[in-house]
Amino acid sequence: MSRIAARFKALAAQGRGALIPYLEAYDPDWETSLELLRKMPAAGADLIEIGMPFSDPSADGPVIQAAARRGLKAGATLAGVLDMVADFRQQDNETPVILMGYLNPVESYGYERFCRDAASAGVDGLILVDLPPEEADVLAPFAKANKLDIIRLVAPTTSDKRLPYVLSHASGFVYYVSITGITGTRSATTHDLEEAIPRLRKVTKLPIAIGFGVRTPQQAANASSIADGAVVASALLSTLAETLDDKGRATAQTLPRVLAQIEDLAKAVRNADGKVV
Amino acid sequence: MADPKEHGTSAVQSNSLRHQPDERGHFGGRFGGRFVAETLMPLILELDEAYKAAKADPAFHKELEYYLKDYVGRPSPLWFAQRMTEELGGAKIFLKREELNHTGSHKLNNVMGQILLARRMGRTRIVAETGAGQHGVATATVCALFGLKCVIYMGATDVERQKPNVFRMRLLGAEVVPVTSGAGTLKDAMNEAMRDWVANIADTYMLIGTVAGPHPYPAMVRDFQSVIGTETKAQMKAAEGRLPDIVVAAIGGGSNAMGIFYPFLDDKSVRLIGVEAAGHGLDSGKTAASIERGRPGVLHGNRTYLLQNADGQIEEAHSISAGLDYPGVGPEHSWLHDVGRAEYVGITDNEALDAFQLCTRMEGIIPALESAHAVAYAAKIAPTLSKDTLLVVNLSGRGDKDIFTVAEHLGVKL
C-alpha cells in the first residue's frame, strides 16, 4: 500500500480527517524550508504538500506568488526540491509528501527522469495545476511506472458529466478546489462543501481533501470532517512572510510561528466531530 | 468526454497545412493544447463548443461581416509603396494597411469576432490582457459599442510606456488594472487576466488578443484574423495578376502574422517570414525572439516556443515594442517553424526605429513599432531581390501611440 493510502486508512480508523499543510520549497531559503518540512509531522501534519516554485503561477493568489518569488530568488530548482524530500525521508518514511506546481519546470526536467528521481527521493504524489486529464498522457505512464500518484483537481465548475472522466485519471486522493478563484482569496461555506463532497463521493472511492480558502482551525476542522482532509497553504505562507526580516530572510520567529499555527490547525482537526467512520 | 488516448495523435486528413489543429487543439501533434487548471477546463470546453457552433452558423458570419465592413472599415487597402520601393531598389513592396482599421490596428478583427461570440454565450463582463494597449483599446471599444463591462490587465511597465492607449481605454469606459508582478509586461498581464477569469467565471468572457492560450483560442483568433490574408490574396491578384512572392509580418504572440499567413499556407510558392523582436540583439540576453532563442515548453495554456532558463522558469522578454515584449509565441507559429513552412528572423530595437522613420518619411505612414519590425526586415531584403519580386508587409498598426517612445530614443523632448 502506498504511503498516501496507508495514511488515509489509518486516519479513517481514528475517525478523523487529515491536516495537509503546504510549504513552498526554498521559502525563504532551502535550509529553512527543509527544517520546516522536518518539523511538520511532529506539529501535526498528516500529509505534506511542497510547492515547487514557478515564475508564472497563474492559478495562485498574491501570497503563494510572493512565496514562489522568494523561493526562486533563493535559487530554487526541481533537483533541489527533490534533495529536500530525500533528506526528509532519512528521518520520516511514513508521512506522505506531495509535490505541487506547474508543468513547465517538470517538462523541462524531463517527464521520465522527473518521475524516476521524484520516486527515488521519496515523493508520493504530484499535483500539476496546469495538467488537465486531457493532456496527462505526457506524464501518466512514467508516474504509473514509478508508483507516483497523480492527484486530480476537481473544481465547482467540474460538471457531473465531466466528473467521472476527471476521476478516472485520479489516484492517491482527490483535491477539491472549493472555490472558483485563485488560492488564498475567499473561502467556501460549510453549506457549499456539504453539497459538493457527496457529489464527488458518488463517483470515487478515493479520499477527498479540500483546499483553496481553508485558513482557520475552524475551517480546517470543518473541511476535514466533511471530506477526508484539509489543505492549508496561504494562511501558513502569510505567517511565514510576516516573520521575515526586511531583507526577506528567516528570523528566530519563522519556524516557531509557522509550527505553532500548524499545531493549532492539527488540534482543531483532531477534535473535529461528526466524522463518520 | 473522450479520453485523449482514444483519438490520440489522429492523423491529419490531407496534405493541407490548413487543417490544424486536431480535436485536442494540438498543432502537428505537439504544440498548442489545453494546459489550464481544472476550474477553467470546463469553460474552455464550453468555449470550444460555442465557437464551433458559431463557425457553422451563417447568421454569425453575416453579423460579423456587417461589423467588419461598417464598423471596422474593412477591407483595408493593399498599398503599393512606390517611394520605398524606389529607395530600396529591389522588390516591389506592398503594405497591407491594417493600421487603417478602426482603433488603428489589426486587433479589432479578432475582437469583433470574439465579442459577438461572447454575446451569443450570454457573457456580460469582458477581461483582456494587453501589451502595447492596442488589444486593450480594441476590446474597450467593442465593450463600449455593446455596453459591456470591461476590465483590461496591463503590465505596470507598459502602462507607463503606452500612456495614450491607457487614457483611450479609460475614456472608452474600461477599467485598466496595472499589473506589478514580474517585469510588469504582457506575460504578467496575461497571468492576471487568467486569475480574474477563474475568479469570475459566471459572467466573464476572457478575450485573448493573440493566437496563443489554451485551445480554441489560437485557432479561433487565427480564423478571425485570416481576413487579412484572404483580402491580400484577392487584392494582389487584382493588382498584379498573381500571388505575392513574400509575405512579411511582425510576431509577438503572432496574430497579425497568422492572419496574413494562414490563407497562403498551401501556396508553396509564397515565402512566409515572421519577424521577431530581437531587442538588443538575438544573443544579447535582452530579446523577445522566442522561436529563435527559446525552446518548447508550457505557459498560458499552450505548448510553444518559450524563452526560459535551464530549469524551465520563464524569462523576461525585452523589446522596445510593448506589443512584442512576450516570452512566448502562438503555437501554430512554433509548428510552422518546425515543419519549415515559415521562416522566423529577428530585428533589433534600433533596426525597428530606423524602419519606423523610413516608412514615415517615404510613405507618409507612421507605423506602430511592432509593424516597424516587419518593415525593417522587408527593407533589409528588398535590395537583394529582383524588381519583379512581389513583397507584402503586414502593416499591422499605426504608430501614434509610439511617438513618445520614439522621441525618447531619438533624444527629443516632447
Side-chain angles (χ1 to χ4, degrees):
Chain A
M1 191 184 293
S2 72
R3 285 188 202 100
I4 292 175
R7 179 55 53 98
F8 275 106
K9 197 175 167 207
L11 295 178
Q14 292 172 33
R16 69 172 179 93
L19 174 67
I20 313 176
Y22 175 104
L23 71 95
E24 189 79 14
Y26 285 77
D27 176 22
D29 59 76
W30 190 82
E31 290 76 13
T32 305
S33 60
L34 174 59
E35 206 47 36
L36 181 56
L37 174 62
R38 283 183 179 145
K39 290 183 165 147
M40 273 185 168
D46 298 308
L47 293 84
I48 299 171
E49 242 184 75
I50 301 178
M52 304 180 279
F54 181 49
S55 53
D56 294 81
S58 58
D60 283 303
V63 173
I64 296 187
Q65 288 175 44
R69 268 201 302 278
R70 290 192 297 267
L72 289 173
K73 209 174 149 203
T77 61
L78 285 197
V81 176
L82 298 181
D83 285 347
M84 255 177 85
V85 179
D87 204 303
F88 171 74
R89 279 286 170 242
Q90 291 178 5
Q91 63 156 66
D92 185 322
N93 201 27
E94 270 146 37
T95 309
V97 170
I98 295 112
L99 298 184
M100 182 162 188
Y102 293 79
L103 194 61
N104 198 55
V106 176
E107 178 158 316
S108 182
Y109 193 99
Y111 291 113
E112 185 168 15
R113 185 174 150 237
F114 180 75
C115 288
R116 203 181 49 226
D117 292 357
S120 73
V123 171
D124 301 289
L126 303 174
I127 303 176
L128 292 165
V129 179
D130 53 351
L131 185 70
E134 279 83 352
E135 302 285 356
D137 53 352
V138 291
L139 177 81
F142 307 120
K144 197 172 174 194
N146 289 285
K147 299 190 171 63
L148 287 173
D149 285 319
I150 296 188
I151 290 134
R152 282 271 144 234
L153 302 176
V154 170
T157 49
T158 311
S159 66
D160 286 341
K161 189 170 159 240
R162 177 171 168 79
L163 207 45
Y165 170 72
V166 173
L167 292 177
S168 70
H169 288 72
S171 63
F173 64 94
V174 176
Y175 189 125
Y176 182 66
V177 175
S178 66
I179 51 153
T180 55
I182 51 177
T183 51
T185 48
R186 51 196 181 206
S187 301
T189 64
T190 303
H191 177 76
D192 292 339
L193 297 178
E194 281 171 346
E195 300 238 306
I197 301 306
R199 191 164 79 89
L200 273 63
R201 297 264 194 230
K202 275 187 220 156
V203 194
T204 184
K205 292 198 159 46
L206 290 173
I208 300 165
I210 294 173
F212 283 49
V214 182
R215 305 185 63 84
T216 65
Q218 184 55 47
Q219 286 170 336
N222 238 345
S224 68
S225 60
I226 295 169
D228 306 301
V231 180
V232 182
S234 294
L236 294 171
L237 297 180
S238 299
T239 302
L240 183 142
E242 282 170 19
T243 67
L244 303 178
D245 69 15
D246 55 4
K247 292 204 172 90
R249 291 173 304 203
T251 63
Q253 287 301 304
T254 302
L255 290 179
R257 279 196 52 199
V258 177
L259 290 166
Q261 194 175 0
I262 293 172
E263 282 167 18
D264 288 345
L265 290 160
K267 232 175 273 166
V269 166
R270 282 159 207 237
N271 294 330
D273 48 35
K275 179 75 187 168
V276 182
V277 182
Chain B
M1 191 63 55
D3 191 286
K5 276 179 187 154
E6 283 168 22
H7 49 85
T9 49
S10 67
V12 182
Q13 286 83 7
S14 77
N15 293 326
S16 172
L17 295 172
R18 302 178 68 218
H19 289 170
Q20 301 283 339
D22 64 17
E23 269 295 303
R24 292 172 69 181
H26 289 189
F27 294 89
R30 181 176 188 204
F31 296 105
R34 288 187 278 231
F35 295 90
V36 296
E38 177 59 25
T39 314
L40 283 182
M41 200 62 201
L43 283 91
I44 296 288
L45 295 170
E46 183 197 3
L47 177 64
D48 193 22
E49 289 307 312
Y51 177 55
K52 272 188 203 151
K55 207 175 162 181
D57 181 358
F60 179 77
H61 290 282
K62 208 175 159 202
E63 191 184 16
L64 180 56
E65 273 165 31
Y66 163 72
Y67 285 104
L68 286 181
K69 178 174 170 285
D70 288 350
Y71 190 73
V72 180
R74 301 209 68 89
S76 71
L78 183 68
W79 168 249
F80 170 45
Q82 192 171 351
R83 284 199 67 212
M84 207 151 82
T85 298
E86 284 164 7
E87 169 77 13
L88 295 167
K92 209 166 170 183
I93 298 173
F94 293 81
L95 304 176
K96 179 59 175 165
R97 303 284 309 275
E98 289 298 302
E99 99 283 5
L100 289 178
N101 292 330
H102 179 39
T103 75
S105 81
H106 72 292
K107 290 294 183 188
L108 199 56
N109 302 329
N110 161 52
V111 165
M112 206 71 239
Q114 285 198 58
I115 203 75
L116 297 181
L117 185 62
R119 276 159 56 85
R120 274 170 79 104
M121 295 174 75
R123 299 293 196 269
T124 54
R125 181 176 175 273
I126 307 296
V127 295
E129 81 296 343
T130 197
Q134 295 300 86
H135 174 58
V137 166
T139 303
T141 297
V142 295
C143 287
L145 177 65
F146 292 113
L148 301 171
K149 191 168 163 41
C150 181
V151 181
I152 303 292
Y153 290 91
M154 187 168 185
T157 306
D158 292 340
V159 166
E160 195 50 43
R161 62 177 162 174
Q162 301 287 341
K163 281 180 190 155
N165 272 345
V166 174
F167 185 58
R168 285 164 85 194
M169 287 185 269
R170 287 181 174 147
L171 280 176
L172 288 159
E175 181 190 347
V176 180
V177 183
V179 178
T180 51
S181 60
T185 59
L186 182 53
K187 163 175 94 92
D188 312 297
M190 186 78 162
N191 286 330
E192 214 51 40
M194 287 176 82
R195 290 182 186 119
D196 178 304
W197 190 23
V198 82
N200 297 287
I201 50 169
D203 61 350
T204 298
Y205 180 95
M206 178 155 170
L207 210 162
I208 294 181
T210 191
V211 286
H215 178 66
Y217 286 101
M220 175 170 70
V221 176
R222 171 202 69 198
D223 291 348
F224 289 137
Q225 290 294 1
S226 64
V227 64
I228 305 172
T230 304
E231 283 178 12
T232 302
K233 211 170 189 177
Q235 288 164 327
M236 190 56 99
K237 276 186 179 159
E240 297 282 337
R242 66 181 182 94
L243 293 174
D245 298 298
I246 302 174
V247 174
V248 181
I251 302 215
S255 72
N256 88 78
M258 220 43 249
I260 197 165
F261 288 178
Y262 186 67
F264 291 106
L265 287 184
D266 290 331
D267 300 307
K268 298 288 165 64
S269 68
V270 183
R271 270 177 77 189
L272 304 173
I273 304 175
V275 184
E276 295 193 297
H280 292 186
L282 284 175
D283 296 311
S284 65
K286 296 194 82 143
T287 179
S290 323
I291 291 182
E292 291 152 286
R293 287 298 175 270
R295 60 192 170 87
V298 174
L299 179 71
H300 294 154
N302 57 182
R303 180 177 290 110
T304 192
Y305 277 85
L306 298 172
L307 297 175
Q308 53 181 315
N309 71 13
D311 294 309
Q313 305 294 342
I314 309 304
E315 291 184 331
E316 302 295 346
H318 169 84
S319 169
I320 188 175
S321 144
L324 304 182
D325 206 347
Y326 182 68
V329 63
E332 195 163 8
H333 285 298
S334 293
W335 172 67
L336 290 172
H337 168 72
D338 273 18
V339 299
R341 176 61 189 97
E343 304 159 47
Y344 295 88
V345 298
I347 281 292
T348 64
D349 290 350
N350 286 335
E351 289 170 322
L353 278 167
D354 289 346
F356 179 94
Q357 296 167 84
L358 174 79
C359 186
T360 302
R361 293 208 183 135
M362 289 283 149
E363 297 299 327
I365 296 169
I366 303 178
L369 274 173
E370 291 76 23
S371 321
H373 284 73
V375 175
Y377 194 73
K380 210 176 205 176
I381 61 170
T384 70
L385 299 164
S386 69
K387 291 193 173 175
D388 58 355
T389 305
L390 304 179
L391 190 161
V392 179
V393 176
N394 196 9
L395 206 83
S396 54
R398 69 174 181 228
D400 308 50
K401 69 183 173 61
D402 293 314
I403 56 172
F404 299 101
T405 305
V406 172
E408 195 188 313
H409 280 83
L410 298 180
V412 178
K413 209 170 159 126
L414 292 185

